[in-house]
Amino acid sequence: VRNLANTYYFLEKYSEAKPLFARFIAMQEQKTAGLIAAVSALAEIEREDGNFNESIKYDLTAIELNPTNDSQVHVMANTYNNAGEADKAIAVYQKAIEVMPDNAFFDRSLGRILEQENRIQDALQAYESAAAKNPDSGFYSDLVESTRSRL
């Protein structure tokens, strides 16, 4: 099933690949490289099709399955945010923080989107978390102070 899904994917026949990837994912009982690739591919296809309610489920699963791939997090979150789906971008960063708790840049990025959404108190908490994780960063401490001054 996965091989056929991959064939359709590489031929850019995404409508044929999607149900095959979904079937393959549903059949898996263990975390494997094939599962990670299938989840990531299906999430990407759904995101590119604008099916954000579907893609977010696969994106959050992809983060759990591959918690060291921080670049995928930024691609996901930026895609949602640029499409006006800030709530989904926030969910992506929250999941990433959950599985990669030491990554201060996720907190900073979460804070940026919260700030954009006028959730200044929540943004401050995210910036404070980033500053706590990287206390030597003047950038994060400056974000904390400038956000505090706006409250």
Side-chain angles (χ1 to χ4, degrees):
V1 173
R2 183 172 151 247
N3 288 339
L4 185 56
N6 283 334
T7 299
Y8 283 130
Y9 179 79
F10 289 113
L11 292 173
E12 297 182 5
K13 295 185 177 205
Y14 301 128
S15 61
E16 289 88 352
K18 286 196 302 189
L20 294 170
F21 278 131
R23 187 177 331 152
F24 174 78
I25 292 165
M27 294 175 4
Q28 300 309 295
E29 295 179 5
Q30 294 181 24
K31 177 179 160 179
T32 64
L35 175 60
I36 293 168
V39 169
S40 296
L42 186 51
E44 179 185 350
I45 293 168
E46 293 291 10
R47 251 186 284 119
E48 288 180 6
D49 284 349
N51 298 326
F52 299 130
N53 289 330
E54 286 299 311
S55 64
I56 188 68
K57 297 181 283 189
Y58 294 112
D59 281 332
L60 298 178
T61 300
I63 293 168
E64 284 181 19
L65 290 171
N66 193 5
T68 59
N69 187 350
D70 58 344
S71 63
Q72 78 175 344
V73 171
H74 298 296
V75 169
M76 293 169 186
N78 286 333
T79 299
Y80 289 124
N81 196 43
N82 291 340
E85 298 279 344
D87 59 323
K88 290 175 178 58
I90 289 167
V92 165
Y93 281 122
Q94 288 172 330
K95 176 57 76 175
I97 291 166
E98 178 185 315
V99 300
M100 294 177 261
D102 295 332
N103 189 320
F105 195 70
F106 288 156
D107 291 283
R108 181 262 182 216
S109 298
L110 173 62
R112 178 182 56 85
I113 295 171
L114 291 166
E115 194 171 355
Q116 161 197 305
E117 294 299 300
N118 264 342
R119 295 172 55 185
I120 306 303
Q121 184 64 46
D122 294 333
L124 175 60
Q125 289 174 344
Y127 294 149
E128 287 172 337
S129 180
K133 291 174 185 177
N134 192 347
D136 295 331
S137 170
F139 177 72
Y140 294 142
S141 60
D142 288 347
L143 270 176
V144 168
E145 291 312 311
S146 68
T147 306
R148 269 193 194 131
S149 72
R150 294 176 43 215
L151 290 175

